[in-house]
Amino acid sequence: MDLQLNGKRAIVTGGSRGIGYAIARALASEGVDVVIAARDAETAEAAARTLSEETGRRVLAVPTDTGDDDRVRELVARTVAELGGVDILVNSAATPWSAGAPTDLAATSDEIVRREVEIKVLGYLRTARAVAPHLVEQGWGRIINISGLGARQANSIAQTIRNISVSALTKNLADELGPSGVNVTVVHPGVTRTERLTARLTTEAANSGRTVSDLESDLARNTLRRVIDADEVADVVTFLASPRSIAITGDAIAAGGGVPGSVYY
């Protein structure tokens, strides 16, 4: 299937590593010119060079802190200036969920929740707010927000709040922007194989004497009974970023290999 993405232009926040990097690669492989937005300039530049050499597309690095509205607006302005416009926004910039913070009620401080919401919710809002006028003006666009299956689980107050908030933001944007030709969706990855997870399991394996494969199996509680790879999440996002996804907007797409026993409708 031709995804009709050749020549499109995308911004991928958090695109220098993990799921964001896999998405940037998948889009570029389909002929999209990509701007990688990440806080660490050196890591973003290295990622952009690698993907440009690998795919032959224009892949630019723009150091950006999505917690800063001025920096976000600069990101979008530079994208439009250098690529001639923007068609796709993928929001993937986020700190690891709850970053090891306590999950119980008594220990969940206001600051913990603010920290979670600042980047993954308000950061997504800032980028969408800056990109949307360009998409509306041209009458076509895609916004894909990366959230997480934590939206469907009650094991951390801060995690659940931030992921559900991304879903709520997505639906509001979809309803407002849909008449202008802009589709907005949210993707919920589960446990995903990224360089961060592999590094963690490698350390655990060295300390425990078990293999990384065995440790991954312990984590694979999904229907498929295996950990989903970042590239497999990226395949889902790439379809949603394409004109072929016209029938899907405002909804959440789970990309975690299935949740056993639950019915979502």
Side-chain angles (χ1 to χ4, degrees), residues 36-197:
I36 289 176
R39 283 181 292 183
D40 185 271
E42 186 175 344
T43 304
E45 288 285 356
R49 282 195 304 272
T50 298
L51 292 186
S52 183
E53 292 170 2
E54 180 183 322
T55 65
R57 301 304 304 186
R58 291 191 70 189
V59 184
L60 309 175
V62 179
T64 307
D65 178 359
T66 58
D68 183 330
D69 192 53
D70 288 338
R71 296 288 298 279
V72 168
R73 292 182 181 279
E74 289 170 10
L75 162 67
V76 175
R78 182 172 168 188
T79 299
V80 171
E82 299 212 21
L83 299 185
V86 60
D87 305 291
I88 300 159
L89 167 66
V90 180
N91 278 314
S92 187
T95 55
W97 74 264
S98 296
T103 60
D104 61 292
L105 173 61
T108 300
S109 66
D110 293 0
E111 186 52 39
I112 287 173
V113 177
R114 287 193 188 100
R115 183 182 66 205
E116 295 302 322
V117 169
E118 180 60 45
I119 300 300
K120 194 158 187 176
V121 182
L122 292 178
Y124 286 16
L125 172 62
R126 294 181 188 104
T127 52
R129 191 168 55 208
V131 166
H134 299 279
L135 307 184
V136 169
E137 183 178 1
Q138 67 195 17
W140 191 91
R142 296 288 186 268
I143 299 174
I144 301 100
N145 297 318
I146 307 302
S147 185
L149 285 174
R152 298 176 178 177
Q153 299 167 339
N155 56 14
S156 164
I157 294 171
Q159 181 197 25
T160 306
I161 287 174
R162 81 171 189 172
N163 286 323
I164 287 177
S165 297
V166 171
S167 294
L169 171 64
T170 297
K171 179 57 175 170
N172 277 275
L173 295 179
D175 285 356
E176 179 176 344
L177 302 177
S180 298
V182 182
N183 286 37
V184 189
T185 48
V186 56
V187 172
H188 290 322
V191 175
T192 305
R193 185 185 299 112
T194 62
E195 55 266 52
R196 184 191 298 275
L197 178 63

Side-chain angles (χ1 to χ4, degrees), residues 200-265:
R200 192 189 93 199
L201 296 184
T202 299
T203 299
E204 287 183 20
N207 293 334
S208 67
R210 302 182 66 198
T211 67
V212 171
S213 178
D214 284 342
L215 292 171
E216 269 202 2
S217 294
D218 291 345
L219 295 175
R221 301 186 182 97
N222 58 12
T223 300
L224 297 181
R225 294 298 189 267
R226 72 169 180 84
V227 172
I228 299 300
D229 192 81
D231 290 339
E232 294 167 328
V233 176
D235 289 340
V236 174
V237 174
T238 301
F239 169 72
L240 293 173
S242 78
R244 296 284 193 179
S245 70
I246 184 62
I248 305 172
T249 193
D251 284 320
I253 308 297
V259 178
S262 299
V263 178
Y264 296 99
Y265 58 92

